[in-house]
Amino acid sequence: MATKGKKGIYAYIVLVSLALLGLAGLRFYSLYLEHELMALNQQIEALQQKDLLLSQRLLSMMAPDQVVYYASGKLGMTKGLERDSTIRLAIAPGSERFQGDNLPTVAVEKRKTFGIFSAFASAKEDRED
């Protein structure tokens, strides 16, 4: 009978040691996951900084003077002489008909101040006249 009691104690010790080993494994796995989480948080912060810089760059590129500079310098566009126009809306902006696809029609009236030069005052082009 004494050997049966020792086998029970050994089994108990083995079960307790397996439980402690399992807990240690879980602890190491949680440390690994914590390290991964910190790495992901650092990547998120870096991407947020990059997003902020790109947003600032986009705003600077959308500034009117930058658009004019790029259009004239890189695309060869020049200011048209016939650009003096008036836009009139057919419906008042507070109207309820402004929702969905029911947008107002726009009537553009162009003033032909220098109409004879309009063919020559557009973008740069290679003409063989």
Side-chain angles (χ1 to χ4, degrees):
M1 284 231 189
T3 58
K4 194 172 190 181
K6 283 187 178 182
K7 285 184 182 178
I9 291 174
Y10 291 137
Y12 180 72
I13 290 173
V14 168
L15 285 175
V16 169
S17 62
L18 285 175
L20 290 175
L21 187 62
L23 289 174
L26 287 175
R27 179 63 183 149
F28 284 125
Y29 185 64
S30 71
L31 287 173
Y32 168 75
L33 289 178
E34 187 177 336
H35 172 68
E36 289 291 317
L37 182 63
M38 287 181 6
L40 287 174
N41 283 336
Q42 288 175 349
Q43 285 180 351
I44 289 171
E45 287 178 15
L47 290 174
Q48 285 175 341
Q49 289 292 328
K50 187 176 180 180
D51 180 48
L52 180 65
L53 290 174
L54 288 174
S55 296
Q56 290 173 348
R57 185 174 173 205
L58 176 66
L59 287 175
S60 70
M61 292 175 80
M62 288 175 46
D65 57 338
Q66 288 294 325
V67 172
V68 169
Y69 171 76
Y70 187 82
S72 63
K74 305 277 184 177
L75 300 178
M77 297 176 78
T78 59
K79 184 176 180 181
L81 299 175
E82 193 183 345
R83 303 282 183 202
D84 194 14
S85 60
T86 304
I87 298 175
R88 295 185 184 178
L89 293 177
I91 301 174
S95 177
E96 295 180 37
R97 291 188 269 175
F98 257 115
Q99 299 173 357
D101 294 332
N102 298 331
L103 295 176
T105 58
V106 176
V108 178
E109 297 175 1
K110 294 186 177 182
R111 297 185 203 141
K112 301 260 182 182
T113 310
F114 295 101
I116 58 173
F117 301 114
S118 64
F120 304 107
S122 61
K124 287 183 185 175
E125 51 186 49
D126 296 330
R127 294 181 153 228
E128 296 179 20
D129 294 69

mmCIF file of all heavy atoms in Angstrom, residues 29-64:
data_model
loop_
_atom_site.group_PDB
_atom_site.id
_atom_site.type_symbol
_atom_site.label_atom_id
_atom_site.label_comp_id
_atom_site.label_asym_id
_atom_site.label_seq_id
_atom_site.Cartn_x
_atom_site.Cartn_y
_atom_site.Cartn_z
ATOM 1 N N TYR A 29 4.009 33.437 -24.311
ATOM 2 C CA TYR A 29 3.198 33.771 -25.483
ATOM 3 C C TYR A 29 2.579 35.161 -25.331
ATOM 4 O O TYR A 29 2.520 35.927 -26.284
ATOM 5 C CB TYR A 29 2.110 32.710 -25.697
ATOM 6 C CG TYR A 29 1.302 32.915 -26.947
ATOM 7 C CD1 TYR A 29 1.891 32.826 -28.203
ATOM 8 C CD2 TYR A 29 -0.055 33.206 -26.883
ATOM 9 C CE1 TYR A 29 1.161 33.019 -29.361
ATOM 10 C CE2 TYR A 29 -0.797 33.404 -28.030
ATOM 11 C CZ TYR A 29 -0.184 33.309 -29.264
ATOM 12 O OH TYR A 29 -0.916 33.507 -30.405
ATOM 13 N N SER A 30 2.138 35.502 -24.112
ATOM 14 C CA SER A 30 1.575 36.842 -23.896
ATOM 15 C C SER A 30 2.646 37.918 -24.048
ATOM 16 O O SER A 30 2.374 39.009 -24.556
ATOM 17 C CB SER A 30 0.893 36.934 -22.538
ATOM 18 O OG SER A 30 1.853 36.924 -21.502
ATOM 19 N N LEU A 31 3.883 37.623 -23.638
ATOM 20 C CA LEU A 31 4.974 38.581 -23.838
ATOM 21 C C LEU A 31 5.268 38.771 -25.328
ATOM 22 O O LEU A 31 5.518 39.888 -25.780
ATOM 23 C CB LEU A 31 6.235 38.111 -23.107
ATOM 24 C CG LEU A 31 6.212 38.234 -21.589
ATOM 25 C CD1 LEU A 31 7.458 37.583 -20.993
ATOM 26 C CD2 LEU A 31 6.119 39.683 -21.172
ATOM 27 N N TYR A 32 5.214 37.673 -26.085
ATOM 28 C CA TYR A 32 5.408 37.761 -27.534
ATOM 29 C C TYR A 32 4.315 38.613 -28.175
ATOM 30 O O TYR A 32 4.591 39.473 -29.017
ATOM 31 C CB TYR A 32 5.426 36.352 -28.134
ATOM 32 C CG TYR A 32 5.322 36.330 -29.633
ATOM 33 C CD1 TYR A 32 6.401 36.675 -30.434
ATOM 34 C CD2 TYR A 32 4.127 35.973 -30.259
ATOM 35 C CE1 TYR A 32 6.303 36.662 -31.808
ATOM 36 C CE2 TYR A 32 4.026 35.956 -31.641
ATOM 37 C CZ TYR A 32 5.110 36.304 -32.410
ATOM 38 O OH TYR A 32 5.004 36.292 -33.768
ATOM 39 N N LEU A 33 3.071 38.384 -27.780
ATOM 40 C CA LEU A 33 1.959 39.169 -28.340
ATOM 41 C C LEU A 33 2.073 40.641 -27.942
ATOM 42 O O LEU A 33 1.746 41.528 -28.735
ATOM 43 C CB LEU A 33 0.622 38.592 -27.879
ATOM 44 C CG LEU A 33 0.238 37.244 -28.488
ATOM 45 C CD1 LEU A 33 -1.089 36.775 -27.907
ATOM 46 C CD2 LEU A 33 0.163 37.319 -29.990
ATOM 47 N N GLU A 34 2.534 40.904 -26.724
ATOM 48 C CA GLU A 34 2.718 42.298 -26.291
ATOM 49 C C GLU A 34 3.785 42.983 -27.132
ATOM 50 O O GLU A 34 3.635 44.141 -27.520
ATOM 51 C CB GLU A 34 3.103 42.315 -24.810
ATOM 52 C CG GLU A 34 3.160 43.700 -24.213
ATOM 53 C CD GLU A 34 3.465 43.654 -22.729
ATOM 54 O OE1 GLU A 34 3.203 42.630 -22.084
ATOM 55 O OE2 GLU A 34 3.967 44.679 -22.233
ATOM 56 N N HIS A 35 4.855 42.251 -27.441
ATOM 57 C CA HIS A 35 5.911 42.798 -28.300
ATOM 58 C C HIS A 35 5.367 43.085 -29.697
ATOM 59 O O HIS A 35 5.661 44.142 -30.282
ATOM 60 C CB HIS A 35 7.073 41.812 -28.371
ATOM 61 C CG HIS A 35 8.119 42.188 -29.374
ATOM 62 N ND1 HIS A 35 8.934 43.287 -29.223
ATOM 63 C CD2 HIS A 35 8.467 41.626 -30.560
ATOM 64 C CE1 HIS A 35 9.739 43.383 -30.268
ATOM 65 N NE2 HIS A 35 9.477 42.378 -31.092
ATOM 66 N N GLU A 36 4.572 42.186 -30.248
ATOM 67 C CA GLU A 36 3.966 42.398 -31.559
ATOM 68 C C GLU A 36 3.032 43.612 -31.550
ATOM 69 O O GLU A 36 2.995 44.388 -32.496
ATOM 70 C CB GLU A 36 3.193 41.153 -32.007
ATOM 71 C CG GLU A 36 4.065 39.978 -32.373
ATOM 72 C CD GLU A 36 4.853 40.225 -33.645
ATOM 73 O OE1 GLU A 36 4.276 40.753 -34.611
ATOM 74 O OE2 GLU A 36 6.050 39.890 -33.659
ATOM 75 N N LEU A 37 2.270 43.761 -30.467
ATOM 76 C CA LEU A 37 1.363 44.902 -30.342
ATOM 77 C C LEU A 37 2.131 46.214 -30.302
ATOM 78 O O LEU A 37 1.728 47.191 -30.932
ATOM 79 C CB LEU A 37 0.500 44.744 -29.093
ATOM 80 C CG LEU A 37 -0.531 45.828 -28.826
ATOM 81 C CD1 LEU A 37 -1.562 45.858 -29.948
ATOM 82 C CD2 LEU A 37 -1.210 45.603 -27.497
ATOM 83 N N MET A 38 3.243 46.248 -29.591
ATOM 84 C CA MET A 38 4.057 47.465 -29.539
ATOM 85 C C MET A 38 4.633 47.785 -30.916
ATOM 86 O O MET A 38 4.679 48.952 -31.324
ATOM 87 C CB MET A 38 5.169 47.325 -28.501
ATOM 88 C CG MET A 38 4.650 47.401 -27.080
ATOM 89 S SD MET A 38 5.845 47.269 -25.722
ATOM 90 C CE MET A 38 7.425 47.244 -26.436
ATOM 91 N N ALA A 39 5.040 46.755 -31.657
ATOM 92 C CA ALA A 39 5.573 46.982 -33.008
ATOM 93 C C ALA A 39 4.480 47.530 -33.919
ATOM 94 O O ALA A 39 4.725 48.448 -34.715
ATOM 95 C CB ALA A 39 6.150 45.682 -33.563
ATOM 96 N N LEU A 40 3.273 46.995 -33.811
ATOM 97 C CA LEU A 40 2.162 47.502 -34.631
ATOM 98 C C LEU A 40 1.806 48.934 -34.253
ATOM 99 O O LEU A 40 1.499 49.753 -35.124
ATOM 100 C CB LEU A 40 0.940 46.594 -34.486
ATOM 101 C CG LEU A 40 1.039 45.235 -35.181
ATOM 102 C CD1 LEU A 40 -0.177 44.382 -34.844
ATOM 103 C CD2 LEU A 40 1.166 45.412 -36.677
ATOM 104 N N ASN A 41 1.837 49.256 -32.970
ATOM 105 C CA ASN A 41 1.555 50.637 -32.542
ATOM 106 C C ASN A 41 2.597 51.603 -33.086
ATOM 107 O O ASN A 41 2.266 52.728 -33.475
ATOM 108 C CB ASN A 41 1.482 50.717 -31.021
ATOM 109 C CG ASN A 41 0.174 50.190 -30.481
ATOM 110 O OD1 ASN A 41 -0.837 50.171 -31.175
ATOM 111 N ND2 ASN A 41 0.189 49.739 -29.245
ATOM 112 N N GLN A 42 3.862 51.172 -33.142
ATOM 113 C CA GLN A 42 4.899 52.028 -33.710
ATOM 114 C C GLN A 42 4.671 52.234 -35.206
ATOM 115 O O GLN A 42 4.860 53.341 -35.719
ATOM 116 C CB GLN A 42 6.280 51.421 -33.462
ATOM 117 C CG GLN A 42 6.724 51.500 -32.018
ATOM 118 C CD GLN A 42 8.042 50.786 -31.775
ATOM 119 O OE1 GLN A 42 8.532 50.060 -32.638
ATOM 120 N NE2 GLN A 42 8.605 50.990 -30.598
ATOM 121 N N GLN A 43 4.246 51.180 -35.899
ATOM 122 C CA GLN A 43 3.945 51.319 -37.321
ATOM 123 C C GLN A 43 2.765 52.257 -37.540
ATOM 124 O O GLN A 43 2.771 53.069 -38.466
ATOM 125 C CB GLN A 43 3.624 49.954 -37.934
ATOM 126 C CG GLN A 43 4.819 49.074 -38.156
ATOM 127 C CD GLN A 43 4.425 47.737 -38.760
ATOM 128 O OE1 GLN A 43 3.257 47.396 -38.858
ATOM 129 N NE2 GLN A 43 5.423 46.964 -39.169
ATOM 130 N N ILE A 44 1.758 52.168 -36.670
ATOM 131 C CA ILE A 44 0.594 53.055 -36.786
ATOM 132 C C ILE A 44 1.010 54.497 -36.588
ATOM 133 O O ILE A 44 0.595 55.384 -37.343
ATOM 134 C CB ILE A 44 -0.500 52.639 -35.782
ATOM 135 C CG1 ILE A 44 -1.152 51.324 -36.217
ATOM 136 C CG2 ILE A 44 -1.551 53.729 -35.623
ATOM 137 C CD1 ILE A 44 -2.095 50.731 -35.186
ATOM 138 N N GLU A 45 1.849 54.761 -35.591
ATOM 139 C CA GLU A 45 2.318 56.132 -35.346
ATOM 140 C C GLU A 45 3.123 56.652 -36.533
ATOM 141 O O GLU A 45 2.964 57.811 -36.938
ATOM 142 C CB GLU A 45 3.149 56.180 -34.073
ATOM 143 C CG GLU A 45 2.337 56.043 -32.804
ATOM 144 C CD GLU A 45 3.198 56.045 -31.561
ATOM 145 O OE1 GLU A 45 4.385 56.434 -31.649
ATOM 146 O OE2 GLU A 45 2.678 55.660 -30.503
ATOM 147 N N ALA A 46 3.976 55.799 -37.100
ATOM 148 C CA ALA A 46 4.780 56.222 -38.253
ATOM 149 C C ALA A 46 3.881 56.525 -39.447
ATOM 150 O O ALA A 46 4.084 57.520 -40.156
ATOM 151 C CB ALA A 46 5.795 55.143 -38.610
ATOM 152 N N LEU A 47 2.869 55.699 -39.672
ATOM 153 C CA LEU A 47 1.952 55.932 -40.792
ATOM 154 C C LEU A 47 1.084 57.164 -40.554
ATOM 155 O O LEU A 47 0.743 57.875 -41.505
ATOM 156 C CB LEU A 47 1.090 54.699 -41.039
ATOM 157 C CG LEU A 47 1.847 53.494 -41.616
ATOM 158 C CD1 LEU A 47 0.939 52.276 -41.678
ATOM 159 C CD2 LEU A 47 2.406 53.819 -42.987
ATOM 160 N N GLN A 48 0.728 57.434 -39.301
ATOM 161 C CA GLN A 48 -0.033 58.655 -39.010
ATOM 162 C C GLN A 48 0.813 59.886 -39.284
ATOM 163 O O GLN A 48 0.315 60.889 -39.806
ATOM 164 C CB GLN A 48 -0.522 58.643 -37.562
ATOM 165 C CG GLN A 48 -1.684 57.723 -37.316
ATOM 166 C CD GLN A 48 -2.074 57.630 -35.856
ATOM 167 O OE1 GLN A 48 -1.292 57.969 -34.968
ATOM 168 N NE2 GLN A 48 -3.292 57.165 -35.603
ATOM 169 N N GLN A 49 2.093 59.835 -38.941
ATOM 170 C CA GLN A 49 2.987 60.957 -39.245
ATOM 171 C C GLN A 49 3.124 61.141 -40.752
ATOM 172 O O GLN A 49 3.104 62.266 -41.255
ATOM 173 C CB GLN A 49 4.371 60.710 -38.623
ATOM 174 C CG GLN A 49 4.394 60.819 -37.127
ATOM 175 C CD GLN A 49 4.149 62.241 -36.664
ATOM 176 O OE1 GLN A 49 4.513 63.208 -37.325
ATOM 177 N NE2 GLN A 49 3.502 62.369 -35.529
ATOM 178 N N LYS A 50 3.261 60.029 -41.476
ATOM 179 C CA LYS A 50 3.363 60.108 -42.929
ATOM 180 C C LYS A 50 2.080 60.667 -43.531
ATOM 181 O O LYS A 50 2.122 61.473 -44.462
ATOM 182 C CB LYS A 50 3.650 58.721 -43.496
ATOM 183 C CG LYS A 50 3.939 58.703 -44.963
ATOM 184 C CD LYS A 50 4.318 57.314 -45.436
ATOM 185 C CE LYS A 50 4.620 57.314 -46.924
ATOM 186 N NZ LYS A 50 4.997 55.972 -47.393
ATOM 187 N N ASP A 51 0.925 60.257 -42.995
ATOM 188 C CA ASP A 51 -0.363 60.766 -43.469
ATOM 189 C C ASP A 51 -0.464 62.267 -43.230
ATOM 190 O O ASP A 51 -0.938 63.004 -44.092
ATOM 191 C CB ASP A 51 -1.502 60.035 -42.760
ATOM 192 C CG ASP A 51 -2.865 60.510 -43.202
ATOM 193 O OD1 ASP A 51 -3.094 60.605 -44.426
ATOM 194 O OD2 ASP A 51 -3.716 60.780 -42.317
ATOM 195 N N LEU A 52 -0.001 62.723 -42.074
ATOM 196 C CA LEU A 52 -0.030 64.155 -41.772
ATOM 197 C C LEU A 52 0.851 64.929 -42.747
ATOM 198 O O LEU A 52 0.434 65.972 -43.275
ATOM 199 C CB LEU A 52 0.421 64.393 -40.326
ATOM 200 C CG LEU A 52 0.442 65.826 -39.851
ATOM 201 C CD1 LEU A 52 -0.965 66.401 -39.830
ATOM 202 C CD2 LEU A 52 1.076 65.911 -38.481
ATOM 203 N N LEU A 53 2.045 64.409 -43.018
ATOM 204 C CA LEU A 53 2.942 65.093 -43.962
ATOM 205 C C LEU A 53 2.353 65.112 -45.372
ATOM 206 O O LEU A 53 2.430 66.124 -46.072
ATOM 207 C CB LEU A 53 4.308 64.401 -43.969
ATOM 208 C CG LEU A 53 5.145 64.570 -42.712
ATOM 209 C CD1 LEU A 53 6.409 63.723 -42.789
ATOM 210 C CD2 LEU A 53 5.497 66.024 -42.488
ATOM 211 N N LEU A 54 1.740 63.995 -45.783
ATOM 212 C CA LEU A 54 1.127 63.959 -47.109
ATOM 213 C C LEU A 54 -0.079 64.894 -47.196
ATOM 214 O O LEU A 54 -0.307 65.519 -48.238
ATOM 215 C CB LEU A 54 0.713 62.527 -47.458
ATOM 216 C CG LEU A 54 1.862 61.565 -47.761
ATOM 217 C CD1 LEU A 54 1.345 60.151 -47.948
ATOM 218 C CD2 LEU A 54 2.642 62.025 -48.979
ATOM 219 N N SER A 55 -0.839 65.013 -46.119
ATOM 220 C CA SER A 55 -1.970 65.942 -46.111
ATOM 221 C C SER A 55 -1.492 67.384 -46.240
ATOM 222 O O SER A 55 -2.072 68.173 -46.984
ATOM 223 C CB SER A 55 -2.781 65.778 -44.831
ATOM 224 O OG SER A 55 -3.359 64.511 -44.763
ATOM 225 N N GLN A 56 -0.419 67.711 -45.523
ATOM 226 C CA GLN A 56 0.130 69.059 -45.622
ATOM 227 C C GLN A 56 0.675 69.315 -47.028
ATOM 228 O O GLN A 56 0.499 70.409 -47.577
ATOM 229 C CB GLN A 56 1.240 69.257 -44.587
ATOM 230 C CG GLN A 56 0.722 69.309 -43.168
ATOM 231 C CD GLN A 56 1.846 69.344 -42.151
ATOM 232 O OE1 GLN A 56 3.011 69.101 -42.482
ATOM 233 N NE2 GLN A 56 1.508 69.632 -40.913
ATOM 234 N N ARG A 57 1.320 68.313 -47.610
ATOM 235 C CA ARG A 57 1.841 68.474 -48.972
ATOM 236 C C ARG A 57 0.706 68.652 -49.971
ATOM 237 O O ARG A 57 0.799 69.464 -50.891
ATOM 238 C CB ARG A 57 2.675 67.252 -49.330
ATOM 239 C CG ARG A 57 3.346 67.354 -50.657
ATOM 240 C CD ARG A 57 4.271 66.192 -50.893
ATOM 241 N NE ARG A 57 4.772 66.244 -52.257
ATOM 242 C CZ ARG A 57 5.195 65.213 -52.921
ATOM 243 N NH1 ARG A 57 5.190 64.023 -52.357
ATOM 244 N NH2 ARG A 57 5.625 65.331 -54.144
ATOM 245 N N LEU A 58 -0.372 67.897 -49.785
ATOM 246 C CA LEU A 58 -1.525 68.023 -50.672
ATOM 247 C C LEU A 58 -2.130 69.413 -50.571
ATOM 248 O O LEU A 58 -2.464 70.030 -51.590
ATOM 249 C CB LEU A 58 -2.576 66.964 -50.336
ATOM 250 C CG LEU A 58 -3.884 67.039 -51.114
ATOM 251 C CD1 LEU A 58 -3.632 66.749 -52.587
ATOM 252 C CD2 LEU A 58 -4.896 66.088 -50.539
ATOM 253 N N LEU A 59 -2.273 69.928 -49.338
ATOM 254 C CA LEU A 59 -2.834 71.267 -49.176
ATOM 255 C C LEU A 59 -1.944 72.323 -49.821
ATOM 256 O O LEU A 59 -2.443 73.276 -50.422
ATOM 257 C CB LEU A 59 -3.037 71.570 -47.692
ATOM 258 C CG LEU A 59 -4.197 70.840 -47.031
ATOM 259 C CD1 LEU A 59 -4.221 71.126 -45.538
ATOM 260 C CD2 LEU A 59 -5.512 71.233 -47.661
ATOM 261 N N SER A 60 -0.621 72.143 -49.712
ATOM 262 C CA SER A 60 0.267 73.130 -50.332
ATOM 263 C C SER A 60 0.205 73.046 -51.853
ATOM 264 O O SER A 60 0.353 74.047 -52.536
ATOM 265 C CB SER A 60 1.699 72.931 -49.851
ATOM 266 O OG SER A 60 2.239 71.735 -50.372
ATOM 267 N N MET A 61 -0.023 71.838 -52.382
ATOM 268 C CA MET A 61 -0.118 71.690 -53.838
ATOM 269 C C MET A 61 -1.447 72.204 -54.377
ATOM 270 O O MET A 61 -1.551 72.554 -55.542
ATOM 271 C CB MET A 61 0.061 70.227 -54.227
ATOM 272 C CG MET A 61 1.460 69.709 -53.988
ATOM 273 S SD MET A 61 1.593 67.962 -54.328
ATOM 274 C CE MET A 61 1.724 68.006 -56.095
ATOM 275 N N MET A 62 -2.470 72.243 -53.539
ATOM 276 C CA MET A 62 -3.775 72.709 -53.984
ATOM 277 C C MET A 62 -3.936 74.219 -53.840
ATOM 278 O O MET A 62 -4.970 74.758 -54.206
ATOM 279 C CB MET A 62 -4.883 71.997 -53.193
ATOM 280 C CG MET A 62 -5.021 70.541 -53.584
ATOM 281 S SD MET A 62 -6.194 69.613 -52.596
ATOM 282 C CE MET A 62 -7.602 70.665 -52.524
ATOM 283 N N ALA A 63 -2.932 74.887 -53.326
ATOM 284 C CA ALA A 63 -3.004 76.338 -53.206
ATOM 285 C C ALA A 63 -3.109 76.945 -54.605
ATOM 286 O O ALA A 63 -2.493 76.453 -55.554
ATOM 287 C CB ALA A 63 -1.759 76.871 -52.489
ATOM 288 N N PRO A 64 -3.918 77.987 -54.768
ATOM 289 C CA PRO A 64 -4.136 78.566 -56.099
ATOM 290 C C PRO A 64 -2.853 78.993 -56.816
ATOM 291 O O PRO A 64 -2.711 78.766 -58.011
ATOM 292 C CB PRO A 64 -5.034 79.770 -55.833
ATOM 293 C CG PRO A 64 -5.726 79.452 -54.560
ATOM 294 C CD PRO A 64 -4.749 78.635 -53.764
#
